Amino acid sequence: MHISSSPATPATIAPPQPVTPRRLAIFGAGGLGREVLVLLRQLNAVAPTWELLGFYDDQPPATDLIHGLRYLGTAADLNATPEPLAVAVAVGSSASRAGVVGRLTSPLLHFPVLVHPGVSAESFQHLQLGPGCIITQGCILTTDIRLGRHVLLNLGCTVGHDAVLDDFCSLMPHANVGGGAHLEAGVYLGTNATVLQQVRIGARTVLGAGAVAIRNLPADCTAVGVPARVVDRKD
């Protein structure tokens, strides 16, 4: 699925705190799916929030039982749910995650915001999060930040003031985004990658592990190194 470079305007919301458990399935039965399961169990340890049903994936895993939860089927099976169901899309690739969300078309499916309980609650007073965002353990977000739909912040990421991360951006562990930076839709930052303040990264661009973007980068390219330089352009 092609990721649009036009950002959606997300609603300003805080991490969900329902009084009674709600039914939730994880799409993605790989490593990130298991990590999201850990996140969900950590949330449940603070407050009994989610009734965890199991995993869905278009590629069946090697075993039907993953850390105590069953493999339940494909996206088509998930679309056939007869009742409302929350879905956490645990797919690391920006393009692949957008493709999955595009295939999950049932109006009974919704995508909650999942934020590790250790992330500071004060930041949510001035933080906009779109549906489906996943923020994992050790992340630091300061103030006046906007995240679009289905943005993934993996372990230990930092996002500075006034930064904008458009739909389907993915930050791998310990990636850093400086104040006022703008990541357009579908940008992927590798582990320990850094975008300096006020720098803009074009839609669907990949910034490699450990790279440092000190100036704007165009859309649809791969950049590596310190400072980051473009090494490949997508058709």
Side-chain angles (χ1 to χ4, degrees), residues 116-231:
H116 188 273
V119 175
S120 173
E122 285 78 10
S123 65
F124 291 98
Q125 297 176 9
H126 303 284
L127 177 63
Q128 293 182 339
L129 301 178
C133 284
I134 297 176
I135 301 176
T136 63
Q137 187 171 8
C139 291
I140 299 173
L141 298 91
T142 59
T143 187
D144 300 294
I145 294 165
R146 179 162 62 85
L147 275 57
R149 300 179 301 124
H150 297 278
V151 171
L152 169 65
L153 303 186
N154 214 315
L155 300 170
C157 293
T158 65
V159 183
H161 64 87
D162 300 294
V164 176
L165 281 62
D166 289 339
D167 298 347
F168 297 103
C169 284
S170 301
L171 275 60
M172 294 300 104
H174 301 288
N176 304 288
V177 177
H182 188 164
L183 277 55
E184 296 182 4
V187 165
Y188 182 98
L189 303 187
T191 299
N192 286 317
T194 297
V195 177
L196 294 189
Q197 60 270 22
Q198 305 299 327
V199 169
R200 189 180 188 105
I201 309 297
R204 300 169 298 278
T205 280
V206 174
L207 185 64
V212 179
I214 66 171
R215 59 180 64 89
N216 294 351
L217 292 173
D220 297 307
C221 72
T222 298
V224 300
V226 182
R229 66 192 187 282
V230 175
V231 295

Side-chain angles (χ1 to χ4, degrees), residues 11-29:
T12 301
I13 52 178
Q17 296 293 336
V19 176
T20 57
R22 292 186 295 177
R23 293 161 54 84
L24 183 144
I26 300 170
F27 189 98

Side-chain angles (χ1 to χ4, degrees), residues 51-105:
E51 178 189 349
L52 304 177
L53 301 185
F55 289 90
Y56 289 83
D57 200 306
D58 286 335
Q59 296 182 345
T63 175
D64 284 341
L65 190 65
I66 304 170
H67 289 195
L69 294 183
R70 295 283 181 187
Y71 170 68
L72 301 174
T74 66
D77 298 312
L78 193 50
N79 280 326
T81 181
E83 58 186 26
L85 182 63
V87 181
V89 181
V91 177
S93 162
S94 295
S96 297
R97 191 162 67 258
V100 168
V101 172
R103 294 196 300 277
L104 297 179
T105 55

